[in-house]
Amino acid sequence: MENFKLENMELSPLDRAKRHVTFQHRGASGWITLAKKEPDGGWRQYHYQPNELAVELPKWLGEDVYFSQNTFYKPQRRIENIRQLRALYVDVDCHTIGYEPEWVVGKLDIEVFYDNILPEPNLIIFSGRGIVCVWLIEPVPYKALPLWKAVENYFYEQLSYVGADKKSLDPTRVFRIDGSVNSKSKKEVVVEYRHGDRYVLRDLQYEYLPELTRAETGKKGRKGKLVRLHNIQTLHYARLLDLIRLAELRNYDLKGYRELFCFLYRYWSCCLTDDPDEALRQMIELNAGFKEPLSEKEVIRATKSAEKAWMARNDAKANEEARKKGYPGAGYNLKNSTIIRWLDITPEEQRHLQTIIDANEKRRRKRERDRARTGELRRGQGAKTREEYLEEQRERTEDKAWQLQKAMERHPDATNKQLAMMLQISVRRVQQLKRLVKN
């Protein structure tokens, strides 16, 4: 601890902040969030492209400054806008159980990292009252979010015994930046850099989540808790993306459906982030983007039951009661038909969605897949495409027309029947070709 503290003292807070952001986001694609907690409790955030950060950082440095660990398609820090997943992380609030951060790091080195219970993190942020372990990964797109979440949850579980915070596991999370100050403890944030090699998410899955790996290979057997959770989160994320796609198709003109959109978004976001406060923040931001948004107070009140349902999903007694009634578990176990009915999703709109579709749309997609497979099979067996067939027919027609023209030049008095016999085609075909020759 002392060595890297001394090393940091040689750099200004601004240089340390630049080093921290550059270390994590070199070569990044998308928007990166810088955020600051104001003295009055307010929250200010802005979004920058990676090449803008060095110029903008001086405007932000001071107390309670944060930056996002992953990047976004749009300048909006919301789960549906994830562009690149670039890091795994666990926030350890060791102060809540009376542990000193330096002591916790020593304990983890001996009990977790040395024995390869978890790989060694790339960096450790001493945040002023706790620590954040950060593992950099080769960037993966938003579609890998369910797998990212499964690995993230596993890492959290291994560090829960030293005070890991479950609310810090969402992919939109921001953490304190090196050189800034924690206003609660009045301590400066310090980063310990350990190595610069990025991990591969799939490799982490294969090494640390064997149950999920076995399920992917199709091995039979009852699916474990981890696999079921992974499948559910995959569904929730696909549905949340469909919800946003539907809003876009309707140009965010959602009058009559605003409460339902916000309710579903808040519920699925809670399930994906495990952080009701973050889910609420993102839902409020979504509502603000509607053509006619609901008032903040109204939308919070109207969607409160979404958070209650999410809490029930994490309650053992509530899940037991739900299973007794024949449900898979507590919370909202919505069918596609129910969502389609609630939101009046048309067949045309369903064509643009990934998973919120009815039986008719499923059959239509199957017919398209079957036709595509049949076409590929026929082409593999030497069958021609329609374009190839038409081109061949055109060439044949041009060849026959040329033959007819030469035959007519040699036998100017020949009848159509005689010409047909010469070319071994029908009289009708001779008549057709004569029209081409004349043109």
Side-chain angles (χ1 to χ4, degrees):
M1 179 70 178
E2 290 301 323
N3 287 338
F4 73 84
K5 270 192 171 180
L6 290 171
E7 180 186 332
N8 278 338
M9 291 298 290
E10 297 174 1
L11 299 173
S12 69
L14 177 58
D15 287 337
R16 287 160 53 192
K18 288 180 179 178
R19 181 177 65 172
H20 189 183
V21 173
T22 302
F23 185 78
Q24 288 200 217
H25 286 307
R26 182 180 285 111
S29 175
W31 297 90
I32 298 166
T33 304
L34 285 180
K36 184 177 179 65
K37 193 177 292 182
E38 302 290 6
D40 62 0
W43 185 258
R44 176 167 64 94
Q45 65 179 26
Y46 207 79
H47 315 275
Y48 300 100
Q49 290 291 321
N51 59 357
E52 299 173 326
L53 284 173
V55 176
E56 298 297 334
L57 270 172
K59 304 174 186 177
W60 289 83
L61 216 55
E63 288 191 344
D64 302 326
V65 182
Y66 306 75
F67 76 107
S68 61
Q69 308 299 289
N70 299 311
T71 64
F72 305 92
Y73 276 107
K74 300 177 183 179
Q76 294 174 329
R77 188 167 62 91
R78 295 216 304 266
I79 194 168
E80 72 273 15
N81 294 331
I82 292 291
R83 181 178 181 85
Q84 287 184 332
L85 294 160
R86 302 179 57 82
L88 296 153
Y89 36 79
V90 178
D91 185 6
V92 180
D93 289 334
C94 43
H95 70 280
T96 60
I97 49 180
Y99 294 161
E100 286 296 321
E102 292 81 5
W103 183 83
V104 169
V105 171
K107 185 177 178 66
L108 293 179
D109 278 335
I110 296 170
E111 299 176 357
V112 178
F113 307 139
Y114 181 78
D115 288 338
N116 200 35
I117 304 300
L118 290 180
E120 185 177 25
N122 293 81
L123 56 92
I124 298 175
I125 304 170
F126 289 78
S127 59
R129 297 202 299 175
I131 62 169
V132 182
C133 296
V134 181
W135 295 264
L136 303 183
I137 59 173
E138 291 294 337
V140 291
Y142 71 93
K143 288 185 177 179
L145 179 63
L147 174 59
W148 179 92
K149 184 66 174 173
V151 179
E152 178 82 351
N153 285 340
Y154 178 83
F155 279 30
Y156 153 77
E157 288 168 2
Q158 307 316 304
L159 302 188
S160 59
Y161 78 108
V162 288
D165 181 8
K166 192 174 184 180
K167 290 185 178 180
S168 69
L169 307 180
D170 66 276
T172 64
R173 183 60 50 175
V174 294
F175 289 116
R176 294 180 186 273
I177 195 167
D178 195 4
S180 63
V181 175
N182 185 322
S183 64
K184 292 179 180 177
S185 65
K186 301 303 178 184
K187 291 183 179 179
E188 198 171 52
V189 177
V190 179
V191 172
E192 176 186 353
Y193 298 89
R194 295 201 160 191
H195 67 93
D197 297 328
R198 287 183 174 268
Y199 295 98
V200 176
L201 189 61
R202 281 289 181 188
D203 290 348
L204 294 175
Q205 174 201 337
Y206 297 145
E207 186 168 355
Y208 296 99
L209 279 71
E211 183 182 355
L212 190 58
T213 302
R214 283 196 300 273
E216 284 190 352
T217 60
K219 291 186 177 179
K220 294 182 180 180
R222 185 176 179 182
K223 289 183 170 56
K225 180 181 177 182
L226 172 62
V227 178
R228 292 196 301 273
L229 179 60
H230 178 261
N231 292 340
I232 290 169
Q233 288 180 333
T234 301
L235 176 62
H236 286 155
Y237 190 50
R239 283 180 164 180
L240 186 140
L241 293 177
D242 274 355
L243 193 69
I244 297 302
R245 180 62 181 140
L246 184 60
E248 291 170 349
L249 290 170
R250 297 181 181 183
N251 297 314
Y252 288 88
D253 186 1
L254 302 172
K255 195 168 184 179
Y257 303 95
R258 292 170 296 181
E259 290 184 5
L260 280 168
F261 265 80
C262 289
F263 165 79
L264 291 171
Y265 185 95
R266 187 173 179 181
Y267 177 66
W268 290 330
S269 188
C270 276
C271 294
L272 290 164
T273 64
D274 290 315
D275 184 346
D277 295 332
E278 181 61 21
L280 176 60
R281 181 195 69 77
Q282 295 189 33
M283 186 269 293
I284 290 172
E285 189 175 290
L286 172 70
N287 173 68
F290 294 166
K291 270 193 174 178
E292 296 182 43
L294 297 165
S295 72
E296 189 171 310
K297 186 176 181 180
E298 182 181 3
V299 74
I300 292 173
R301 185 183 66 251
T303 60
K304 183 68 177 174
S305 59
E307 186 176 313
K308 290 180 179 178
W310 168 77
M311 292 174 69
R313 285 185 76 247
N314 294 281
D315 183 86
K317 187 176 180 181
N319 277 294
E320 185 180 346
E321 290 296 322
R323 282 190 284 271
K324 284 180 181 178
K325 295 176 182 178
Y327 297 109
Y332 291 106
N333 302 290
L334 298 171
K335 296 179 180 178
N336 276 351
S337 57
T338 302
I339 301 170
I340 290 168
R341 187 177 71 253
W342 281 2
L343 300 177
D344 291 322
I345 303 175
T346 67
E348 178 57 34
E349 287 173 331
Q350 289 178 49
R351 288 184 173 225
H352 301 277
L353 304 183
Q354 179 183 350
T355 191
I356 305 178
I357 56 176
D358 60 18
N360 290 331
E361 177 61 16
K362 287 180 182 177
R363 284 193 290 269
R364 188 193 70 79
R365 293 184 187 188
K366 184 178 184 303
R367 288 195 298 271
E368 283 193 350
R369 289 194 300 271
D370 289 346
R371 279 198 296 269
R373 278 197 293 267
T374 301
E376 288 175 3
L377 180 62
R378 291 181 68 246
R379 284 192 291 277
Q381 294 171 341
K384 300 177 180 64
T385 65
R386 177 171 172 76
E387 290 74 17
E388 290 170 338
Y389 172 78
L390 292 174
E391 177 63 20
E392 188 177 284
Q393 292 304 308
R394 183 184 66 77
E395 290 176 358
R396 285 183 179 178
T397 298
E398 288 178 353
D399 183 54
K400 284 295 182 184
W402 180 83
Q403 291 179 30
L404 175 63
Q405 187 173 13
K406 294 302 179 184
M408 289 169 62
E409 289 173 358
R410 289 194 302 270
H411 307 282
D413 299 325
T415 64
N416 285 348
K417 185 175 182 180
Q418 290 170 330
L419 290 170
M421 291 177 65
M422 293 177 198
L423 300 177
Q424 295 185 334
I425 57 177
S426 67
V427 173
R428 181 174 178 78
R429 184 60 174 154
V430 169
Q431 293 169 339
Q432 291 174 339
L433 292 171
K434 274 188 173 182
R435 286 195 290 273
L436 287 175
V437 169
K438 288 177 182 178
N439 291 334

